[in-house]
Amino acid sequence: MSVMVVRKKVTRKWEKLPGRNTFCCDGRVMMARQKGIFYLTLFLILGTCTLFFAFECRYLAVQLSPAIPVFAAMLFLFSMATLLRTSFSDPGVIPRALPDEAAFIEMEIEATNGAVPQGQRPPPRIKNFQINNQIVKLKYCYTCKIFRPPRASHCSICDNCVERFDHHCPWVGNCVGKRNYRYFYLFILSLSLLTIYVFAFNIVYVALKSLKIGFLETLKETPGTYPPLAVCPSKAFLSYFPACFLPTFLPLSSFSDIRECQGLK
Amino acid sequence: MWKSQVHNLQELRRSASLATKVFIQRDYSDGTICQFQTKFPPELDSRIERQLFEETVKTLNGFYAEAEKIGGSSYLEGCLACATAYFIFLCMETHYEKVLKKISRYIQEQNEKIFAPRGLLLTDPVERGMRVIEISIYEDRCSSGSSSSGSSSGSGSSSGGGGGAGAR
């Protein structure tokens, strides 16, 4: 974020942002206020991967190939990097209108709609814009006092208008919008791959060891396999596959189709 | 030299009082790309030549188009960034950020050469979330007029006492 110098006192822009965000590291880290679920996500990923590296990898590296933990480590680092990037970056928050701009817009609205008599509910503020020969309605945001650009939306949790707002993801502890969508998508993709990879090699490990010492003995010897076996399938099949398919196929089908954009808001 | 010109702008802010602000909205006729309307606002009629204003806005539009252009280099930059899990951005700037810096230098230059002598100030759209170009119109409080690096046809504010009929 840039610096405004006012008489030798450095006032950072993030200090004055009216939304419900928390900032760290001198404005380099920007998150939503509720971070509990984000810590849970971190714990789940770190926990299962640590157990995988501590127990299964030692056996599999020797028995099968040392490339297995190396590739797992790369996937793990990539997922963590994209997770942190998604959680800590600005999703594309639109700054609120300053009083001058808000007054200007109010004047324009009154000029088009006429002054509303006292006691009556004002009509919903919508501006019609023509985008590529299609009429698109832009809605007015009462909190931010702006007409939202196409595909922008107001996040009620963070109390900000966000450009190309997708959703507020509690797992990531931040909104997902224009500026961090690619990191979010890569996080989901890499985490799916990591989950499948860990789960698959867990199965392989249990299978290999069972051939030698029997299935029940294997389960008794390595309790470290339980958490990944339990957590991975649920993570993969409940959330990541749908989350992966949607961003992959939706943009391909609705690319630059304004009707889809209207439906998506 | 750059610092003294910035100082001139700050002096302009101190010696002149803010009369009003004009907001140039986004132009969505070509899609959702970042473009601003080149329609000349009536409030600037007596302040600046139409052609200068339009040229400034068109140049800005050109810069934004350049920033969002997807070419070979931006594709390679994206692939490299993805391969390094985006750690490379700790060391280098993206193409977009480079063009944004260019834009901010251009606006600074335009303010010093063209707008400040006419009692106007352009705000970088980045500061307003790329929604508007905010042009502040200043009225002179003192008779000495705004200090500036001399400009040829300084209309409006160079004569003292309010933005009256600025003879050109």
Side-chain angles (χ1 to χ4, degrees), chain A residues 38-78:
Chain A
F38 168 66
Y39 294 139
L40 175 68
T41 309
L42 275 179
F43 173 73
L44 281 177
I45 300 175
L46 287 171
T48 48
C49 289
T50 313
L51 288 172
F52 178 73
F53 286 122
F55 294 103
E56 282 89 338
C57 277
R58 279 185 294 175
Y59 182 81
L60 288 171
V62 168
Q63 293 292 321
L64 290 180
S65 159
I68 295 171
V70 167
F71 194 64
M74 275 166 48
L75 267 179
F76 170 69
L77 287 172
F78 192 81

Side-chain angles (χ1 to χ4, degrees), chain B residues 108-126:
Chain B
Q108 175 86 25
E109 191 190 295
Q110 289 292 103
N111 271 335
E112 275 149 24
K113 289 194 193 147
I114 297 177
F115 289 88
R118 291 167 172 77
L120 301 171
L121 197 70
L122 223 61
T123 308
D124 197 337
V126 143

Side-chain angles (χ1 to χ4, degrees), chain A residues 78 85 94-95 98 100-101 104 130-132 146 149 182-183 186, chain B residues 21 23 28-32 82 85-87 127-129 131-132:
Chain A
F78 192 81
R85 190 92 196 193
I94 304 175
L98 296 175
D100 293 311
E101 196 187 336
F104 181 82
Q130 199 172 25
I131 299 182
N132 268 337
I146 55 167
R182 78 181 70 177
Y183 310 123
L186 286 172
Chain B
K21 287 188 184 180
F23 299 96
Y28 289 115
S29 57
D30 282 329
T32 53
C82 190
Y86 297 93
F87 281 111
E127 315 254 326
R128 300 286 175 263
R131 286 180 290 105
V132 289

